Amino acid sequence: MSGGETEGETLEYTPTWIVAAVCTVIVAISLALERLLHYGGKYLKKKNQKPLFEALQKIKEELMLLGFISLLLTVFQNVISKICVAHQVMEHLLPCKLPSEEEAAKPTSHFGRRKLFAEESFEMQKGYCAQKHKVPLLSVEALHHLHIFIFVLAIVHVTFCVLTVVFGGIKIRQWKSWEDSIAKENYDSEQVLKKKKRFTHVTQHAFIKAHFLGMGKNSAFLGWVDSFVKQFYASVTKSDYVTLRLGFITTHCRGNPKFNFHKYMIRALEDDFKKVVGISWYLWIFVVIFLLMNINGWHTYFWIAFAPFVLLLAVGTKLEHIITQLAHEVAEKHIAIEGDLVVQPSDDHFWFGKPKIVLFLIHFILFQNAFEIAFFFWIWLQYGFDSCIMGQVRYIVPRLVIGVFIQVLCSYSTLPLYAIVAQMGTNFKAAIFNEHVQVGLVGWAHKVKKKKALEAANDASGSGSGSGSGQGQASSHGGGLASNMGIQLGKFINKATKPEETKQEETK
């Protein structure tokens, strides 16, 4: 666009000191943020916080994606603004009702000067399309606002995810005292032997009393109601922790009764965090759908706020109900128990037999809540509190209350619940190994895979010999069993951003 079509002068007639000063400020801020992320990564690596380091790398990837989006919007803004369409196209599916001439002449808030400037800028930009008796498809001002919204959304989402994990981690770390007390009891060999030989009625265990003898014992519906209510107070008790811990160790670490379950649970949660902190492609699709449905009179921004609210309550209820199911399985099969109460972890307790669905829903809930808050602040700062997009106060207040409620409940109840109940699946996670063991397993798996390839090549070259062929088949078969395990472990460890689950037979 020429200098006559925009307000102010081009770089040709701008003092050099202004250009240099603006560039200096922008570059300095950018380098400071880059160095901050760099030294943050070095600090996490120094502290052996590999999952958190990978989460930081994920944040860098998101910033790079935002950089590409920013570049595309900047480069193509003039091209997009020169796409002309008929007037009728711009009169449908509007987020705000078109004002009359009298209303348009009156500023509606202290942001009125900004709105008037935007309208004047739009008038200057549409000269190209006005010559064709058409209007621009999207003005430069609208592209600029969209640009800001995308950045605000990404920043708010990352901030909310970090806050959720930090506050949830504080709650989970309070369970360390339970782990320490169990470790002290395990060091007393006489007390351990007495426990193993002692018979107790199943209903005498605190875990059974809390989850089997309550109001949900004889009614499935009341059981779900009880699970729904429990997520709001004492979602995980000491008896829950002790029982679920013992069930995990008995199933996956039978040879190591002193296994530090709390430390493993923290590592597993950190592994999951790097998945949640990113904005996946399907979440961007949701953003596009919302922007499409944000039509005047539909109050989409209000109704959509209930989606994460309902999903969060459903996830919390399901996680509590899984603990209840584990208690019912034991209580219905046994009258008396020798030793400690042991539950049997299984994927069957989760939706469709897939524990990962719960993590997916938590990811969506956090993003949707961040989207609601980001949209609110973006509209407030960009157009003013009384903007038509913002809506009426009776729609704004419930949205904010729901957003705060979701953030608090997810941090202090749902996330800690997920951290422990997610370990009650059939398989364990890569976090069960420390980083040094993982590196060793990767090397071993690669060696086994290479050995299998060499054996296959030898079998192919020696296929003419009958006895050699038979021996080769036997060797290949024996090596195949080991190599299959090696390949599974290799995949299990290599996919650091997506830890694979290893079968329980591999631990025996």
Side-chain angles (χ1 to χ4, degrees), residues 160-179:
F160 272 36
C161 286
V162 171
L163 290 176
T164 302
V165 172
V166 168
F167 290 126
I170 292 174
K171 179 69 178 290
I172 295 171
R173 283 176 172 81
Q174 294 176 358
W175 302 344
K176 189 176 184 300
S177 59
W178 298 342
E179 183 74 31

Side-chain angles (χ1 to χ4, degrees), residues 43 63 88 142 166 221 257 268 289 310 317 346 360 394 421:
Y43 175 79
L63 292 175
Q88 294 79 4
V166 168
F221 174 75
I289 292 174
V310 173
T317 303
S346 174
F360 168 81
R394 68 172 182 267
V421 177

Side-chain angles (χ1 to χ4, degrees), residues 137-342:
L137 179 67
L138 197 63
S139 68
V140 174
E141 186 73 15
L143 279 170
H144 178 63
H145 292 173
L146 183 62
H147 190 176
I148 294 175
F149 170 68
I150 292 173
F151 268 91
V152 171
L153 173 61
I155 292 171
V156 172
H157 172 64
V158 172
T159 303
F160 272 36
C161 286
V162 171
L163 290 176
T164 302
V165 172
V166 168
F167 290 126
I170 292 174
K171 179 69 178 290
I172 295 171
R173 283 176 172 81
Q174 294 176 358
W175 302 344
K176 189 176 184 300
S177 59
W178 298 342
E179 183 74 31
D180 294 339
S181 65
I182 295 171
K184 289 180 181 179
E185 291 177 4
N186 288 339
Y187 279 114
D188 190 347
S189 57
E190 293 183 3
Q191 189 175 357
V192 172
L193 290 174
K194 288 180 180 179
K195 277 188 176 182
K196 288 183 177 180
K197 295 180 180 179
R198 184 179 60 190
F199 280 89
T200 54
H201 196 279
V202 69
T203 57
Q204 293 179 357
H205 291 269
F207 181 72
I208 300 299
K209 290 179 181 179
H211 297 282
F212 181 71
L213 299 180
M215 64 178 182
K217 177 181 179 181
N218 299 318
S219 172
F221 174 75
L222 292 178
W224 281 100
V225 172
D226 186 47
S227 299
F228 173 80
V229 174
K230 275 189 175 180
Q231 66 179 309
F232 300 108
Y233 70 95
S235 56
V236 177
T237 63
K238 183 176 181 179
S239 63
D240 296 340
Y241 181 86
V242 172
T243 305
L244 298 184
R245 173 190 179 277
L246 184 59
F248 177 88
I249 293 177
T250 303
T251 303
H252 302 297
C253 309
R254 188 182 294 271
N256 185 15
K258 297 180 181 179
F259 176 75
N260 194 323
F261 178 71
H262 184 268
K263 191 175 292 185
Y264 158 73
M265 191 172 55
I266 293 290
R267 290 200 301 264
L269 182 63
E270 291 173 348
D271 280 337
D272 291 335
F273 171 63
K274 62 176 177 281
K275 301 177 185 177
V276 173
V277 75
I279 303 179
S280 304
W281 61 269
Y282 49 83
L283 297 179
W284 285 112
I285 291 177
F286 167 79
V287 172
V288 173
I289 292 174
F290 174 83
L291 294 175
L292 175 65
M293 298 179 64
N294 187 28
I295 301 171
N296 178 51
W298 287 21
H299 304 294
T300 307
Y301 49 81
F302 173 73
W303 300 112
I304 205 71
F306 287 93
F309 177 72
V310 173
L311 284 176
L312 183 65
L313 295 180
V315 169
T317 303
K318 179 61 178 176
L319 293 174
E320 281 287 354
H321 194 257
I322 289 174
I323 300 177
T324 301
Q325 284 179 301
L326 293 171
H328 277 244
E329 281 187 353
V330 176
E332 291 171 358
K333 292 179 181 178
H334 304 280
I335 297 177
I337 296 175
E338 182 182 6
D340 292 316
L341 178 70
V342 179

